[in-house]
């Protein structure tokens, strides 16, 4: 659905206020305590943020991709940990069900995901299957009208809070690669599932990733998403969409850092004048603005194409590649403009510098995006 322009703008204004008044003041605390406070999560529920992309008939706001990325431009303007709370429910955790779920699966899960009552996680990566996702080994063995699941998933976002996993598993051990993989929706309370402790990370404190171990976890056949052997395509289509979402977050973070850098450059004086007067500082600011603007345009263009029903596998990868690299450069320049203060924790810039590093890695590294882009060029042209 597309909201009318006024309603969308009102919603965006509300999210902007939430970010400015509720999230920004506690960024340092979230970083230090490695958790987003419960009252903030509750406010996210009230705002409807968990259900942005869930169709209205299942209790969500049913935003189009274009509308969703515009909201993410705002939510991106604070520590990415806040976005991570809702990120899997509106993105990689829920979209398998939205795109490939049966009516019953949609009715069973989507209203709870939209309200935030249940957190969804996306479980694809394994110790031996990162960039080479089709090498996954976790096995779902058919046993009558059940599957028995054994194996380990790694770096699973929000696993420690998850009520449901969108899980990719090998159902045909005789087939290597993508064709032996199926997708499942697994209740996290299923006996035989153990979630590890959140990993200690370089950045994005407050956003959690954990191992998930399956030992003879038994689920009914009805938990399968789509047909046997279709799971890899489910994962890839979910990621096509997720890569646009992440790109929008990168734009948001970049715009926040540009604002911080401009404000600092205007007030910090050296050699008898604000450093903003120096052309070498201006050049850095101009490069930041140009690249963030380009990324914003790319995100909006790819989102509009997706809303028009066009396959955007290549554009999603172009956008993720450019936006995630762009925000790395912007964060680096922001540290440089802040000088010594950029390196000091109290100013918060170094925290963003660490936070944005993962954007070039998760949901497909820059190198995987390059590979997808080139493959699609060679296929298309
Ligand atoms: N849409 C639909 N189908 C697709 C597709 C897409 N975007 N991409 C591939 N496929 C299909 C192919 O058409 C092919 O089907 P056929 O055999 O019927 O032709 C099948 O899937 C296999 O495709 P490939 O031959 O291209 O597979 P591959 O193994 O050579 O490479 C890859 C695929 C692009 C490298 C893929 O493995 C990939 O994207 N890797 C990165 C994984 C990734 O992004 N992981 C992130 C995990 S989630 C996360 O990070 C978030 C978090 O929680 C931390």
């Amino acid at each position: 659905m597309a909201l009318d322009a006024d309603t969308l703008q009102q919603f965006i204004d509300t999210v902007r206020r939430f970010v400015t008044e509720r999230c920004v003041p506690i960024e340092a605390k979230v970083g230090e305590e490695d958790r987003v406070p419960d009252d903030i999560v509750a406010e996210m529920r009230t705002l409807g943020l968990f259900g942005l992309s869930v169709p209205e008939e299942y209790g969500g706001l049913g935003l189009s991709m274009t509308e969703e990325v515009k909201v993410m431009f705002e939510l991106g303007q604070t520590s990415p940990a806040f976005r991570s709370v809702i990120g899997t429910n509106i993105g990689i955790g829920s979209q398998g069900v939205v795109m490939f779920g049966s009516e019953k699966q949609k009715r069973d899960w989507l209203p709870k995901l939209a309200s935030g009552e249940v957190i969804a996680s996306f479980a694809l990566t394994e110790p031996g299957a990162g960039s080479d996702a089709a090498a996954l080994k976790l096995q779902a063995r058919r046993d009558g009208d059940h599957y028995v699941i054994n194996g380990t998933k790694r770096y699973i976002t929000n696993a420690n809070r998850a009520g449901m996993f969108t899980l990719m598993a090998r159902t045909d051990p005789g087939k290597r690669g993508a064709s032996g993989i199926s997708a499942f929706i697994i209740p996290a309370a299923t006996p035989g599932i153990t979630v590890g402790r959140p990993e200690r990370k370089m950045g994005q404190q407050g956003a959690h990733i954990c191992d998930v171990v399956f030992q003879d976890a038994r689920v009914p056949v009805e938990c399968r998403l789509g047909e046997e052997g279709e799971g890899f395509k489910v994962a890839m289509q979910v990621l096509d969409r997720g890569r646009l979402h992440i790109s929008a977050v990168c734009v948001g973070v970049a715009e926040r850092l540009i604002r911080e850098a401009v404000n600092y450059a205007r007030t910090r004086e050296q050699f008898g004048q604000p450093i903003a007067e120096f052309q070498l500082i201006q050049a850095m600011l101009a490069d930041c603005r140009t690249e963030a603007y380009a990324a914003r345009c790319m995100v909006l263009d790819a989102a509009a194409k997706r809303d028009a029903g066009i396959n955007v596998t290549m554009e999603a990868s172009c956008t993720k590649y450019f936006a995630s690299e762009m925000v790395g450069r912007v964060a680096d320049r922001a540290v440089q403009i802040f000088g010594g203060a950029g390196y000091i924790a109290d100013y918060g810039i170094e925290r963003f510098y660490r936070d944005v590093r993962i954007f070039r890695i998760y949901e497909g590294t820059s190198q995987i995006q390059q590979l997808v882009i080139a493959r699609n060029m060679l296929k298309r042209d």
Side-chain angles (χ1 to χ4, degrees):
M1 189 199 106
L3 295 180
D4 68 72
D6 285 349
T7 311
L8 178 64
Q9 195 51 53
Q10 278 168 15
F11 187 64
I12 287 172
D13 291 344
T14 304
V15 173
R16 185 177 298 150
R17 265 198 310 280
F18 171 70
V19 164
T20 314
E21 293 170 12
R22 304 290 292 136
C23 302
V24 172
I26 59 166
E27 285 169 349
K29 177 176 145 80
V30 166
E32 278 154 26
E33 296 179 1
D34 195 15
R35 67 185 290 274
V36 175
D38 293 342
D39 59 327
I40 296 290
V41 177
E43 280 182 56
M44 288 173 156
R45 284 201 189 98
T46 308
L47 287 172
L49 291 175
F50 283 91
L52 291 183
S53 62
V54 173
E56 280 177 300
E57 55 186 306
Y58 304 107
L61 294 182
L63 298 194
S64 67
M65 194 75 226
T66 305
E67 292 166 340
E68 180 181 322
V69 296
K70 287 181 178 171
V71 175
M72 286 307 123
F73 291 154
E74 298 304 323
L75 205 56
Q77 307 225 3
T78 182
S79 295
F82 294 103
R83 193 284 318 179
S84 186
V85 171
I86 60 158
T88 49
N89 273 41
I90 61 178
I92 55 179
S94 70
Q95 288 302 310
V97 188
V98 172
M99 291 193 262
F100 300 97
S102 65
E103 189 53 34
K104 177 163 176 10
Q105 288 169 330
K106 289 180 181 174
R107 297 248 164 249
D108 284 351
W109 289 106
L110 292 180
K112 293 179 200 155
L113 300 187
S115 66
E117 179 191 337
V118 170
I119 298 297
S121 273
F122 179 75
L124 172 67
T125 301
E126 296 184 5
S131 287
D132 185 6
L136 69 84
K137 287 204 174 90
L138 178 136
Q139 202 178 101
R141 179 177 53 80
R142 183 80 182 246
D143 181 20
D145 54 4
H146 283 73
Y147 286 93
V148 182
I149 305 174
N150 281 286
T152 299
K153 292 292 177 183
R154 178 139 296 169
Y155 305 148
I156 305 306
T157 299
N158 286 336
N160 52 333
R161 302 165 60 230
M164 177 274 246
F165 294 102
T166 299
L167 177 83
M168 264 50 69
R170 189 161 299 283
T171 39
D172 188 342
K175 282 191 187 150
R176 290 164 61 112
S179 61
I181 295 170
S182 305
F184 294 87
I185 310 167
I186 310 284
T190 305
I193 300 179
T194 315
V195 177
R197 289 165 52 138
E199 300 286 352
R200 295 176 61 230
K201 314 191 298 315
M202 174 180 178
Q204 297 214 8
Q205 276 68 30
H208 297 149
I209 55 168
C210 315
D211 276 6
V212 186
V213 179
F214 295 77
Q215 275 179 310
D216 291 328
R218 205 176 162 79
V219 296
V221 170
E222 292 74 45
C223 286
R224 202 182 63 229
L225 201 49
E227 297 301 317
E228 268 204 12
E230 285 187 350
F232 193 73
K233 287 180 192 172
V234 171
M236 290 298 113
Q237 288 188 38
V238 166
L239 283 170
D240 281 351
R241 193 184 179 289
R243 288 166 182 167
L244 285 180
H245 170 102
I246 290 289
S247 303
V249 179
C250 293
V251 171
V253 177
E255 292 182 347
R256 162 73 184 278
L257 287 170
I258 292 170
R259 213 169 46 246
E260 298 278 352
V262 167
N263 288 340
Y264 189 77
R266 279 194 181 127
T267 52
R268 169 75 175 162
E269 293 198 1
Q270 288 292 279
F271 303 102
Q273 57 184 337
I275 61 170
E277 299 297 323
F278 294 113
Q279 289 184 342
L280 291 178
I281 296 288
Q282 291 174 7
M284 283 195 274
L285 292 175
D287 285 350
C288 288
R289 168 55 63 220
T290 305
E291 293 191 56
Y293 177 52
R296 180 180 261 266
C297 292
M298 288 173 81
V299 172
L300 288 170
D301 179 68
K305 285 195 170 107
R306 190 178 190 283
D307 286 337
I310 297 168
N311 180 326
V312 292
T313 296
M314 185 178 77
E315 288 77 2
S317 282
C318 291
T319 306
K320 162 75 163 56
Y321 176 38
F322 184 77
S324 61
E325 296 278 339
M326 174 280 296
V327 74
R329 289 190 291 271
V330 168
D332 189 65
R333 292 186 199 112
V335 171
Q336 198 67 16
I337 290 168
F338 271 73
Y343 202 68
I344 302 297
D346 286 349
Y347 289 83
I349 301 301
E350 63 81 37
R351 192 184 55 247
F352 278 105
Y353 180 82
R354 289 183 285 107
D355 286 347
V356 301
R357 188 61 183 84
I358 192 63
F359 290 136
R360 284 191 260 165
I361 298 171
Y362 68 13
E363 299 205 21
T365 61
S366 290
Q367 291 66 35
I368 288 296
Q369 310 308 334
Q370 288 174 300
L371 183 143
V372 172
I373 295 161
R375 278 189 187 176
N376 277 273
M377 287 167 71
L378 296 168
K379 209 160 53 184
R380 283 188 193 186
D381 296 343

